Amino acid sequence: MHQYQLIFHRDRSLEIEGKQSEVVLIRTWASSYCKRVELALKLKGIPYEYVQEDLANKSELLLHHNPVHKKVPVLVHKGKAIVESLVILEYIDEHWNNSPILLPIDPYQRSKVSRKSLCQIALENFVVGSRNVVPLINTKEGTLSIIVSKGEAQEKAIEDMIELLRVFENGIKNDFPGKLPFDDQNLELLDIIVSTNACNYQAFNEAVAVVMSPEKTPTEFFLWVNAFKGHPLIKDTLPPHDKLVAKMKRKFFQSL
Ligand SMILES: N[C@@H](CCC(=O)N[C@@H](CS)C(=O)NCC(=O)O)C(=O)O
């Protein structure tokens, strides 16, 4: 088990390997769930330190703070742990209620970005580079259908994903008028989730199979994602492309 040098201070801040902060994020560098939280912290201007977790050799810190799921991200705020990325985002927005406000004020829109909403389901099934992409695509072939399948089966799996994006794009147009096209407005929860999930599409295309392209993907969704890539904070948060391609190749092909 990996061990960190940890000091718990009286003011309930945590010192990790010499770095002290009230807010510590336990994360991995490639996880889009973790990227959501990092982007939210940056948008709100909240100072934080992070601990890089090795999921193949989970740390005592992670197991202590997330004993049930044993997953990243975990946000440790003044010694207290918050788990599950969407719960963390809600916590950040409520605790640091300075602008930008991340959750929609409108209760209907709020329901659309909540945990079991279509928006979340669509995205979690689309998560670029994640196994979670898969259940909705082609359950018969199990969890790696998009790459284990070849030829027609793969085309069908990709078409199903693209269809999901069409449903998603229409949902955004109906429920979030003004959201598309992207006009560099304040980033909110929806933008955080979409950008951290979808902006890595080129790495996924390169490592696994071409899913998103101007020819295939619903136009406004595609433009939205590409516009995100030009946003300075998003650019600063996304994982490095080459490293991500290498990781995706290892992850997907190793599990075959
Ligand atoms: N629903 C969780 C999912 C988090 C998740 O799946 N994290 C992955 C990394 S991307 C993890 O920690 N996996 C470790 C494991 O499954 O053992 C969230 O939104 O935070």
Side-chain angles (χ1 to χ4, degrees), residues 28 30-34 36 55 58 62 69-73 83-86 88 124 130 132 251:
T28 59
S31 159
S32 57
Y33 297 109
C34 299
R36 293 173 173 184
L55 293 177
K58 291 178 181 170
L62 175 66
H69 304 297
K70 305 177 176 66
K71 289 184 178 191
V72 293
V83 303
E84 280 296 312
S85 60
L86 283 172
I88 299 174
E124 294 210 348
S130 158
N132 295 345
K251 175 172 165 180

Side-chain angles (χ1 to χ4, degrees), residues 80-94:
K80 291 184 181 159
I82 304 110
V83 303
E84 280 296 312
S85 60
L86 283 172
V87 180
I88 299 174
L89 292 180
E90 285 169 21
Y91 178 86
I92 290 175
D93 206 30
E94 282 176 21

